[in-house]
Amino acid sequence: MHMKSMKKSTAKTCSHAAPPRCAGRVTPEADLTWLLHRAAHRMRAAMEEQVEKHDIQLRDYLVLTALGGEAQTTQLALGQAMGLDKTTMTSLLDRLEQEGLVVRCSVPHDRRARIPQATDAGRALQAKVANALARVESELLAAFSAAEQHSLRSMLCHIIRTGEGSDTHISGSCV
């Protein structure tokens, strides 16, 4: 093979079927950890920008979303589910309570435990922000078909669930 044709063949754009290697190293475009990190960073930045327009932080929105379910959970369990330590969760809930977005109720059988609940104002704000974030997500994923978006979600859920022993619940840190 001529040197000219060898150079031409190595200058092709990378194929994601097999990780391109440069002197034995995987390029960033083929490193799944790098790609997931950058995609998460891009999505988080776009989401934070939108959330801040509503005068809250992304963590606030995530807490309000977590409190939107039917099941009531203690403040400690909520912190564990979100990957936040007790002190961080307490100060976050203190602030949300001061803003009238959350109330904390005592647990009759355990005076130390508290159950946070979103107020009507908290639920309304969460819904408003959720709609704004849905638009941002739609813009970020516009290049993908509905089937591709579904596949992406399914694959990410599968990665998250791997090793957790649960097919129905995705847990772990979200902040």
Side-chain angles (χ1 to χ4, degrees), residues 35-171:
L35 290 170
L36 288 170
H37 174 74
R38 293 299 301 148
H41 183 270
R42 173 67 183 104
M43 183 151 241
R44 183 180 184 103
M47 298 293 184
E48 284 176 341
E49 180 181 325
Q50 193 58 235
V51 167
E52 288 171 2
K53 290 179 182 178
H54 298 276
D55 295 323
I56 62 172
Q57 298 171 16
L58 187 55
R59 276 187 179 173
D60 301 343
Y61 168 76
L62 294 170
V63 167
L64 291 172
T65 299
L67 295 177
E70 295 293 319
Q72 294 185 345
T73 186
T74 66
Q75 166 172 324
L76 181 62
L78 177 63
Q80 290 170 341
M82 294 185 67
L84 298 173
D85 63 58
K86 188 168 41 171
T87 304
T88 302
M89 179 53 68
T90 298
S91 68
L92 199 155
L93 288 171
D94 286 347
R95 188 170 37 74
L96 291 175
E97 193 169 40
Q98 288 172 355
E99 294 173 10
L101 302 173
V102 168
V103 293
R104 288 181 274 193
C105 304
S106 300
V107 177
H109 62 277
D110 184 353
R111 291 181 4 187
R112 296 173 298 161
R114 308 281 296 210
I115 296 178
Q117 297 175 333
T119 62
D120 288 343
R123 284 187 292 280
L125 179 60
Q126 189 280 336
K128 189 180 193 181
V129 173
N131 287 331
L133 294 182
R135 287 190 299 275
V136 171
E137 181 180 303
S138 183
E139 290 170 15
L140 288 171
L141 299 178
F144 302 109
S145 69
E148 289 171 325
Q149 290 181 36
H150 178 76
S151 291
L152 175 62
R153 289 178 196 283
S154 294
M155 289 183 282
L156 292 172
C157 287
H158 183 74
I159 289 170
I160 291 166
R161 288 185 188 118
T162 301
E164 291 188 7
S166 172
D167 290 324
T168 59
H169 181 68
I170 297 174
S171 62

Side-chain angles (χ1 to χ4, degrees), residues 16-29:
H16 296 289
R21 299 199 175 264
C22 180
R25 294 188 350 240
V26 176
T27 63
E29 294 82 10

